[in-house]
Amino acid sequence: MAVKADINDGEQIDISLCVTGAEEWDHDSIARKIQLKDVEGAAVMLTVFHNNEISDFEWENDQWYLLENAVGNEFRGEVQLNPGFDLSVTPLDEPPVAAVVDETGTTPVDQDSENEDSGSTTEGNSNEQTEFVRGSEVSGEPRPTADGGGELMRHKPLSDGNYLLQFELGELEDLTVYEYELQTIERGGIDPDDFTNGIAGFTAKAANIYQSRVNSPVTTADPSQRRIYATVELSSAISVHGYTVKPVHRGETTLEARSYTNDGPLQEFVKQDVKRAVADRFEVSGIDSIIETVPQRTATSELFEAYRKYKCRIRVDADGTVICGVNVAYHLESTFSAAEWVQRGHDIAEVNVKHDTGLYDSARTATIKEIIDMDYDDVLDGPGVPMSEYHEKHVEKDVIESMRAGDPIIADLQYGSGEDSIFPQLLEYCKVIPTFDQLGEVDETFLEVIHNESRMKPEERFNVVTSFVDSLGSTPYFDFNPVPQPTNVGYREHKTPNIPNMRFGDGKTAFYGADGLERKEHGVYKAPESFDIIALYPEDEEDDARPYVLSLLNKLADYEAGPTAFDQETYELGSEFHYSQHAQKASGYDAALIVVPDKDKAGAADYDDPYPEFKRRLGELGVPSQMISIDNLGNDNYRGNICSSLIGKAGGVPWRIDDVPGDVDAFVGLDVTYDHASKQHLGAAANVIMADGTILASEAVTKQAGETFGEDDVANVIKHVLEIFAEEEGRPPRHVVIHRDGKFYLDIENLIERLDKARDLIQRFDLVEIRKSGNPRIAEYDGSKSRFDIAYKGVAFHVHNGDHSYLTTTGGKEGSPGTPRPLQIVKRHGSSDLDTLAEQTYWLSEAHVGSLSRSTRLPITTYYADKCADFAMKGYLMKGSVIRGVPYI
């Protein structure tokens, strides 16, 4: 094994060294000097330059590393190391066998290894041994959790009631930090075009480099002014995309939790602290991506593995209490190469992959752009050497030779966000990180297992997450000691009254759709004024389709919404051009019932799938359509949903909300459809919903590439609201609540100023964001059973001294298979309180007329806007025109 005595001036060397310290340099070219020792204990110095690839590498004290292709340098009679062009640094899991032991007879890592191998079964390492369960061992029985979370909570009994899945980390009322301005030595300053998001992007990048460098929290203060906050003093210059950056001290600042402007930096500091607390035991790319290193499930095919992935959300309350919300999901990985993925006939473009560390020494992730026509011995543009020669520093020679002997598949991989981050790579050296959809293409059985596993019931979910929080231990910077027990601290619980608040025919009320139409037989609130229906079904399915369609007509009559006329015809499964001609026959009707093959069967058949063509053409004709899958013919469970949907699409109202709190005249829902493949905003929609939950009108537009739903779009929508409402009611609306699906992503203050100028038309307005993801789960604790169960619908938790709530809109007797996902309701402007906004949102989620028995998770404001935008993007609706009814549900 190489030691210091083997280092020669100007020669490359591979050597294992342990970090003993680091010295930061304020120098134009030298970034820092790393102090190390070899296996014999001899001191070795490594000089790191600003322009080297490892300038931002995070060195850890007492950690052993393998340095490959380091270059010897004799300076003033002392041999040391410099980074070579091909330097590679790899952390070692344990010290080399030849490493010198300390006075106790073992190295610190040796002591840990002895404890693990001693045979003593602590709760922690017994979990590691029992967590792994292969897919072949998965049975239909509930899987007992081995995490210990249940034991933790039984040691500290909880009271009966509802709980947020969040935990108290500690207290952080205030924090004094150093404030720095980032200056460059280059003339002309920084070109904003060199960075994503301009100067703000540069500032964020520099803050990230500094926090890695000093191993202490650093974040942005005023990004536009190149200001950052640091928890320790900064002095050395850094290199940021070729710019030499120096921190200029501008004083000290005390950040206070009670300040609206300070909570952001405080949260960021805590995120970095929590991230460091788990970095050595999990794969961590961010606080919302903390992945266990041992798979929780392996497919029986052994082609895929599923790992638990934790997502943390940090909040610092106004009184300084630090709260961590935690969700757990699955992260998927394949066990075979991306080249095999291609050979199996699957599309590889835009698939995420990671380097196979069994073959490759760098564990990086990337997105595949396209397969390219390139040979393994072709010269790479950057390094100027053949790809096979370049790989010699990353891959064993025998593997390279085997690749050279074959015809390896090479693709362009994008390793970052910029166009300059695309490089060619052998797909044999990568493994696929599949999405659920991609997994289903290869292993449907394992996908079903993972889907079932991911629907954790509250008891298991709370136990697993509690155990994760307990494993955090003391955080390295703030010394937080998380309390491993769910808490509602910082929030106030509120329950929407459980009353029959849906109104049906003759003013009668019920709890939900099936309760009113099926159990109590109230009849619909309002039937379509004209309800001429045509039914179309494939010739080969006539014997099954006719009686089922007739049963739907009987069901409509039972709901007191029978058709005013009815006709039926058959069509032949074949060409899309024939489908268009059949659709034309429906132009004189108020609604169409279309029987179509199942999508998967149509995709595998030799005929064109009729669904999209019928939807597109009928949408152009303005005829709402209700599709029925051939597989569902004869299924009585869907008849009620089909009928209520058809009534709503034709302009009727199956049921409405009886009473909505808040003295509101109308709701507006806004949504933008984002296409993840093209990374573009393609469709946008808005709808106007009356206070009783009845849809007034919708509007859909197609956005240009890269556009968002901006301030002018919102203003124009509100103008249309005024016009449509005034046309319907003969007066302007006095109070409007505007729901945005997700964040507004616009200048709220400027929008408010514009709306304020129209007080004579809209006296009051609320701006509310409905956020769907990343929210802490809510469950009910039953002390008599010592377990968590599904919480009932309508439970909300409102933050103290804040602007948001978490609300359950599904659950309880609806029989959700897992733990329902709450919504986050964020108040951005307005006079309505959180109680009112939460209750409005809840009742609007009950007003969806496409499902008799189960609520939609979202309020129909954003749910219908999303459906409308999606239909517009697919060409199923006329864009830019006012849409009456709900043909898109």
Side-chain angles (χ1 to χ4, degrees), residues 31 70 72 81 155 402 588 636 691 711 738 771 817 864:
L81 294 173
H155 291 161
S402 68
D636 292 340
E711 181 186 318
I738 301 171
R771 301 184 188 176
Y864 284 2

Side-chain angles (χ1 to χ4, degrees), residues 263-535:
D263 63 344
L266 287 175
Q267 286 180 20
E268 182 58 35
F269 284 145
V270 175
K271 288 179 183 179
Q272 294 179 23
D273 195 29
V274 172
K275 182 178 176 181
R276 292 182 186 278
V278 298
D280 61 338
R281 290 169 288 133
F282 296 81
E283 288 187 13
V284 185
S285 57
I287 196 170
D288 61 347
S289 181
I290 303 172
I291 303 171
E292 292 186 350
T293 57
V294 176
Q296 179 72 10
R297 283 284 181 264
T298 297
T300 53
S301 63
E302 298 189 350
L303 295 176
F304 297 97
E305 295 173 332
Y307 298 76
R308 277 184 182 155
K309 177 180 179 180
Y310 301 93
K311 297 184 178 182
C312 296
R313 170 176 284 183
I314 300 297
R315 189 178 66 82
V316 181
D317 201 2
D319 64 1
T321 304
V322 182
I323 300 298
C324 180
V326 185
N327 272 324
V328 59
Y330 269 129
H331 167 80
L332 300 174
E333 289 189 10
S334 64
T335 61
F336 57 94
S337 72
E340 291 179 72
W341 182 272
V342 176
Q343 291 160 356
R344 289 170 181 267
H346 303 296
D347 188 12
I348 197 66
E350 298 301 323
V351 172
N352 293 325
V353 296
K354 66 182 295 186
H355 289 174
D356 182 354
T357 52
L359 300 174
Y360 208 87
D361 67 354
S362 171
R364 299 187 65 185
T365 59
T367 301
I368 296 179
K369 304 309 294 182
E370 61 179 350
I371 295 175
I372 59 176
D373 183 14
M374 181 178 181
D375 291 330
Y376 195 29
D377 286 318
D378 286 352
V379 175
L380 295 171
D381 292 337
V385 297
M387 176 183 275
S388 55
E389 182 178 328
Y390 175 79
H391 274 157
E392 288 180 1
K393 64 181 179 180
H394 295 294
V395 185
E396 295 292 335
K397 274 198 170 184
D398 60 336
V399 178
I400 292 175
E401 291 303 323
S402 68
M403 290 296 104
R404 184 181 276 130
D407 185 20
I409 302 173
I410 301 174
D412 273 339
L413 270 62
Q414 184 157 10
Y415 287 91
S417 58
E419 291 298 324
D420 58 350
S421 63
I422 298 178
F423 304 98
Q425 179 62 277
L426 263 68
L427 295 190
E428 193 69 40
Y429 295 161
C430 301
K431 290 183 177 180
V432 170
I433 304 174
T435 63
F436 275 3
D437 288 341
Q438 292 162 352
L439 172 62
E441 294 177 10
V442 182
D443 194 333
E444 290 186 3
T445 301
F446 190 54
L447 175 62
E448 184 177 351
V449 170
I450 293 304
H451 268 312
N452 291 335
E453 287 276 322
S454 62
R455 297 188 185 105
M456 290 184 182
K457 292 184 178 180
E459 175 69 5
E460 181 183 13
R461 183 176 295 275
F462 274 60
N463 286 351
V464 168
V465 172
T466 298
S467 181
F468 166 76
V469 172
D470 185 56
S471 74
L472 293 178
S474 178
T475 62
Y477 185 80
F478 293 113
D479 196 29
F480 292 140
N481 288 289
V483 179
Q485 180 169 301
T487 179
N488 297 331
V489 64
Y491 288 85
R492 171 179 61 86
E493 184 178 358
H494 174 78
K495 294 181 180 178
T496 302
N498 183 25
I499 57 176
N501 201 25
M502 299 294 111
R503 181 183 291 186
F504 296 83
D506 297 327
K508 298 176 181 177
T509 61
F511 286 93
Y512 52 95
D515 184 38
L517 294 179
E518 297 283 348
R519 292 176 57 195
K520 297 178 180 177
E521 300 180 349
H522 288 335
V524 299
Y525 174 75
K526 177 185 175 184
E529 294 180 5
S530 176
F531 203 12
D532 294 350
I533 300 175
I534 185 172

Side-chain angles (χ1 to χ4, degrees), residues 14-200:
D14 297 345
I15 184 170
S16 296
L17 300 168
C18 179
V19 176
T20 58
E23 180 182 349
E24 303 296 330
W25 276 52
D26 186 9
H27 190 275
D28 289 345
S29 59
I30 299 175
R32 63 178 81 174
K33 293 204 173 186
I34 309 301
Q35 299 150 4
L36 308 112
K37 67 178 180 180
D38 66 10
V39 293
E40 296 178 346
V44 181
M45 184 73 73
L46 170 69
T47 301
V48 179
F49 301 97
H50 288 299
N51 62 357
N52 191 263
E53 288 186 359
I54 66 164
S55 61
D56 301 328
F57 188 81
E58 295 186 34
W59 302 88
E60 296 184 16
N61 283 343
D62 300 322
Q63 169 68 49
W64 283 87
Y65 297 90
L66 172 61
L67 278 65
E68 298 174 274
N69 300 320
V71 177
N73 178 45
E74 185 172 336
F75 181 69
R76 295 179 181 177
E78 177 72 15
V79 290
Q80 51 183 273
L81 294 173
N82 286 347
F85 174 75
D86 296 332
L87 176 66
S88 173
V89 181
T90 305
L92 300 178
D93 293 334
E94 55 185 44
V97 176
V100 173
V101 296
D102 61 20
E103 294 179 359
T104 66
T106 59
T107 66
V109 179
D110 288 333
Q111 291 176 358
D112 291 341
S113 299
E114 286 180 3
N115 287 339
E116 290 175 2
D117 297 335
S118 65
S120 61
T121 56
T122 63
E123 182 176 314
N125 57 38
S126 67
N127 285 343
E128 292 176 4
Q129 295 167 8
T130 59
E131 280 292 345
F132 183 82
V133 182
R134 290 192 174 276
S136 60
E137 298 171 3
V138 175
S139 69
E141 295 298 315
R143 177 172 57 89
T145 178
D147 300 270
E151 285 299 318
L152 288 167
M153 287 186 285
R154 278 190 281 274
H155 291 161
K156 298 180 179 179
L158 296 171
S159 302
D160 286 357
N162 296 303
Y163 284 88
L164 286 162
L165 188 48
Q166 62 176 21
F167 303 83
E168 189 173 345
L169 297 187
E171 298 292 328
L172 190 63
E173 294 183 28
D174 55 55
L175 179 68
T176 300
V177 296
Y178 302 95
E179 184 171 352
Y180 293 92
E181 180 183 349
L182 302 174
Q183 295 185 355
T184 61
I185 65 172
E186 287 79 13
R187 292 183 178 180
I190 298 170
D191 184 352
D193 292 337
D194 289 342
F195 300 89
T196 304
N197 298 326
I199 297 299

